[in-house]
Amino acid sequence: MDTVCDQATSSLKPMLTAGDPMSEAEVLVLGRWRVGTPERQAAAIVASLAAWNTVGWPPGMASYTAIAAEDETSVLHLSRWREARAARGFTAEAKHRWAAVVDEAVPGAQRLEVEGYRAYDGIHVADAAPGCLVLVDIDADDSASARRWMDAML
């Protein structure tokens, strides 16, 4: 798969994406790293995208995005997967090789958390420049209640 890496910038922070961020995805995996400084933050973003050239693009991954967090010390990673089995396969096999390539460029990054999410719905505005990613975590009694809440918000 050919991967295209575009840099889109809001007024403050860089975001780099590989793959097709608008393709269908069943599973979203969001991770956060603490890297310490704005310079290491930028280096981690570049290294995380460049690592795919070394490790190879995983089967079933639709896109990968690295985003500089506003705190200037963290990086958010969002990978979009066409199916849950592909995401689990990457976690079990190639993730360590990919992380080793990033660690070589930016040693000492603290991997704080990784969470998997099931894609449900979203809004896309044609030809709009990216500017903000909003993450919302709610407590709901069940998945039907969570869907009703999400439908009301969208």
Side-chain angles (χ1 to χ4, degrees):
M1 168 183 206
D2 290 340
T3 58
V4 177
C5 202
D6 294 321
Q7 181 169 0
T9 54
S10 68
S11 61
L12 297 174
K13 300 294 175 192
M15 177 177 78
L16 295 177
T17 298
D20 180 3
M22 299 317 297
S23 65
E24 292 296 317
E26 177 182 309
V27 174
L28 305 153
V29 178
L30 181 67
R32 187 169 62 101
W33 294 352
R34 182 167 295 122
V35 293
T37 67
E39 295 76 22
R40 287 175 48 84
Q41 184 187 53
I45 290 171
V46 171
S48 67
L49 269 291
W52 297 121
N53 295 328
T54 302
V55 175
W57 194 255
M61 189 164 77
S63 68
Y64 172 84
T65 302
I67 306 165
E70 285 293 315
D71 67 7
E72 296 186 334
T73 67
S74 302
V75 177
L76 299 175
H77 301 267
L78 175 64
S79 56
R80 300 176 72 251
W81 297 85
R82 291 184 183 90
E83 58 184 38
R85 182 178 45 199
R88 283 191 303 271
F90 173 72
T91 299
E93 297 171 17
K95 180 181 178 184
H96 300 293
R97 289 185 289 131
W98 176 80
V101 172
V102 176
D103 287 344
E104 194 173 304
V106 185
Q110 295 175 293
R111 288 166 176 83
L112 302 175
E113 58 198 353
V114 175
E115 294 288 335
Y117 298 89
R118 191 170 10 142
Y120 175 63
D121 205 347
I123 298 171
H124 175 255
V125 179
D127 300 324
C132 185
L133 172 66
V134 177
L135 304 174
V136 177
D137 188 13
I138 65 163
D139 290 324
D141 293 333
D142 53 36
S143 58
S145 298
R147 286 187 185 103
R148 282 193 301 275
W149 185 88
M150 188 63 164
D151 290 342
M153 293 301 105
L154 294 175

